[in-house]
Amino acid sequence: MPAPATARPRIVIVGCGFGGLEAARALRHAPVDIMLVDRTNHHLFQPLLYQVATAGLSAPAIAAPVRHLFRRQANVTTLLGEAVGIDAAARRVALDDGATLPYDHLVVAAGATHSYFGRDDWAAFAPGLKTLEDAFGIRRRILLSFEAAEKEPDAARREPWLTFVVIGGGPTGVEMAGTLAEIARQTLPGEFRRIDPASARVLLLEGSARVLQAMPASLSTRACEQLARLGVEVRTGARVTAIDAEGLQVQPAEGASYRIPSRCIVWAAGVAASPLGRAVARTTGAALDRAGRVQVDPDLGVPGHPEISVIGDLAAARSHAPGREPAPVPGVSPAAKQMGRAAAANILRRIAGQPTRAFRYRDYGNLATIGRNAAVVDLTTPLGRLQFSGYPAWLFWLFAHIWFLIGFRNRLVVLIDWAWAYWSRDRHARVVAEVDPLAAPVER
C-alpha cells in the first residue's frame, strides 16, 4: 500500500486484542498516523468467550466492530488483513494478500493460539477456545451431544455422548467445566423425553497437582469444593496421552492408564504464541522462548530494533519494579492492556528524542468463576492480598467483567442476559446452524 503523503510518524499496530486496542487508544491525541491491522473485524472480550461457547451470551455481547470503536479517532485507519511477515530492514509489514504496510514504528500484538504440545492432530477432537469460531464450534458440539444421546436407545452407546471432558485446570477450564455442569443440571432438565440431562458427567482433567495454579493453594481447594457441589469430577495429576473421535487416554500420577469414552472434549490446557513471533525473530534475530514468545528489552522493544515493540501474549516480558528483581509478566488481559499503554508511551518518547522507560506490571490479582454463586478471587490491595470465595466472589467477578466490557451497550446487554439467566436458569443462545461431523445423528 502506498505511504500516506504526510511527514507524521507512521505507526502500524498488528492485532486488535487488549494490547493493540490500548496502544491505539493511548495514541489518540498524538500527531501520528496509525494503521491498525487485524485478521477479524472485531475486538473480542476473551474472558467471556466461554459464555458464548456455553450458550450463555450471544457473540455481539462480547465483541465490537473495530471500525466502530475507532470511528471518532481520526488518526487511526483500520484494515482487515492478516500480517504474515515483517521486513525490519525495509520497515514493512507483509499481509496475506500480498500488500505491504510501511512503518516508522511497529507494535506487534498478535496474541496467542492453541498449543497441543506437539500433538496438533488432537485439535480435530478437542477444540480450544480462542476465537468466536471456536466458541460456535464448541457450542455446537455440546448441544448436539445431548441431541445424539436423545436418539440413542442403547445406554452403553449413549454414555459417551453424555460424558463431557475439559482438559486443563486454568481459569478457562474451570469456568467451562462449571458452566457445563450448570447446563446439564439446571438448564436442560425437562426439555428431553428419553434422557435425563442431569445424569451427564462433566470431568475436569489437570496434569499438575492442583487447578488454578496462579492462585494460592487455599483458593484452588475452594474451587475444587465448589466444582464438586456443581457435580464436576476434578482429577488432578491426570496427563492426557491420546485423544480420538471416541474418547481419550489418561495417565494418572500413580497407577495404570485408563480410557474415558467421550464424544465432547474441550481443550484448555496450553497456549502458544502467534506464528508472527517467528517472523519477528527471523527478521530481527530476536530470541524466542519455548512457547514461541519474543524476548523483549525492558521497554518492550525488540533487541537491536527499538522501532519494533512486541506486547501481550506474544511478548516474553519482565516487570521492572523499583527495588525488585525483574519478574515474568503473566499472559492475562490486564498485562496486555498495560503493555499496550507502555509501548505507546515509549513510542512518543522515541519520537521526542527522550529515553524510554522500562515496563512495570501492576498486578491487581486473579479471579475465576466456577458457576452460579461460586467464584474465587485473589486481589492485590495496598494493605496486602485479599482472598475470598463463594457468593461475594461471584458478585465481584460479575461486576468486574461487566465494567471492563467495551461499550455501554455491551455492558447493558450482558447485565440483562445474566439477570435473566440467574432468575430463569435459562440460556437463550442455544441455536445450532449446522451439524458437526463428530456429532452426527446415530445410524440405524
Side-chain angles (χ1 to χ4, degrees):
M1 299 184 66
T6 176
R8 290 167 27 132
R10 300 166 298 184
I11 300 174
V12 172
I13 301 176
V14 178
C16 192
F18 290 109
L21 180 71
E22 286 297 315
R25 285 181 161 182
L27 295 167
R28 58 187 175 276
H29 299 305
V32 298
D33 292 317
I34 304 168
M35 180 70 75
L36 180 58
V37 186
D38 197 285
R39 60 183 180 182
T40 70
N41 75 333
H42 56 269
H43 168 77
L44 180 65
F45 191 76
Q46 276 198 345
L48 291 180
L49 189 57
Y50 82 97
Q51 287 276 344
V52 176
T54 54
L57 294 173
S58 58
I62 66 165
V66 176
R67 293 188 181 280
H68 180 75
L69 294 176
F70 290 100
R71 66 193 185 281
R72 295 190 177 95
Q73 189 169 333
N75 66 348
V76 172
T77 299
T78 61
L79 190 66
L80 183 65
E82 183 173 2
V84 295
I86 297 171
D87 186 341
R91 294 197 177 189
R92 287 182 173 271
V93 175
L95 304 185
D96 57 348
D97 61 358
T100 61
L101 305 176
Y103 66 83
D104 297 307
H105 300 271
L106 173 64
V107 179
V108 185
T113 185
H114 315 296
S115 172
Y116 289 88
F117 309 112
R119 293 301 306 268
D120 292 343
D121 55 307
W122 291 355
F125 314 116
L129 186 59
K130 286 293 181 186
T131 66
L132 282 176
E133 290 81 0
D134 295 335
F136 297 151
I138 291 173
R139 183 177 65 188
R140 183 168 60 244
R141 290 191 179 208
I142 292 170
L143 297 177
L144 291 183
S145 290
F146 285 102
E147 296 293 341
E150 176 83 347
K151 298 168 68 174
E152 178 54 70
D154 183 82
R157 295 176 59 184
R158 185 190 307 135
E159 183 178 353
W161 293 111
L162 293 177
T163 301
F164 301 88
V165 180
V166 180
I167 303 172
T172 298
V174 167
E175 291 166 350
M176 177 66 70
T179 307
L180 279 172
E182 284 191 336
I183 291 174
R185 288 157 179 76
Q186 299 177 11
T187 302
L188 296 181
E191 297 190 2
F192 292 83
R193 298 295 177 261
R194 298 179 178 179
I195 63 169
D196 176 13
S199 66
R201 296 176 64 201
V202 179
L203 293 87
L204 176 62
L205 306 183
E206 167 58 38
S208 63
R210 62 185 180 93
V211 301
L212 299 177
Q213 293 190 69
M215 292 189 174
S218 59
L219 289 182
S220 295
T221 301
R222 289 290 297 135
C224 287
E225 293 171 352
Q226 294 176 88
L227 285 167
R229 282 199 293 270
L230 287 171
V232 178
E233 301 177 36
V234 180
R235 300 183 184 180
T236 56
R239 186 170 58 89
V240 175
T241 58
I243 304 176
D244 56 43
E246 297 183 352
L248 64 162
Q249 193 74 19
V250 179
Q251 176 62 59
E254 297 181 359
S257 65
Y258 57 90
R259 182 170 176 81
I260 302 175
S262 173
R263 300 301 295 263
C264 189
I265 305 170
V266 178
W267 183 266
V271 295
S274 164
L276 200 59
R278 293 193 293 272
V280 173
R282 282 194 300 269
T283 190
T284 64
L288 303 178
D289 68 2
R290 292 195 303 174
R293 299 178 302 173
V294 180
Q295 296 185 3
V296 295
D297 285 333
D299 62 0
L300 304 177
V302 174
H305 290 271
E307 76 281 1
I308 302 177
S309 300
V310 180
I311 63 175
D313 290 339
L314 191 57
R318 290 182 174 270
S319 175
H320 296 263
R324 298 181 182 179
E325 288 293 322
V329 179
V332 294
S333 57
K337 290 181 177 182
Q338 293 177 38
M339 282 192 272
R341 292 190 290 267
N346 279 333
I347 286 174
L348 296 181
R349 292 188 185 99
R350 291 188 183 100
I351 292 173
Q354 300 171 353
T356 58
R357 294 179 183 175
F359 173 67
R360 178 185 177 184
Y361 171 57
R362 289 170 173 79
D363 182 8
Y364 299 111
N366 296 290
L367 58 163
T369 184
I370 286 100
R372 180 186 177 91
N373 299 340
V376 289
V377 173
D378 176 31
L379 294 181
T380 303
T381 71
L383 300 178
R385 309 291 290 191
L386 177 61
Q387 301 168 7
F388 54 104
S389 60
Y391 182 68
W394 180 76
L395 284 178
F396 184 90
W397 176 93
L398 186 150
F399 286 108
H401 281 70
I402 289 177
W403 175 259
F404 287 111
L405 271 172
I406 300 297
F408 172 77
R409 179 189 177 279
N410 296 63
R411 296 188 187 103
L412 183 62
V413 168
V414 170
L415 184 61
I416 292 172
D417 284 349
W418 277 350
W420 173 257
Y422 184 84
W423 295 111
S424 68
R425 300 178 185 265
D426 191 18
R427 292 179 171 266
H428 69 281
R430 290 185 285 132
V431 176
V432 177
E434 59 183 280
V435 174
D436 191 316
L438 293 180
V442 177
E443 295 182 2
R444 289 287 182 261

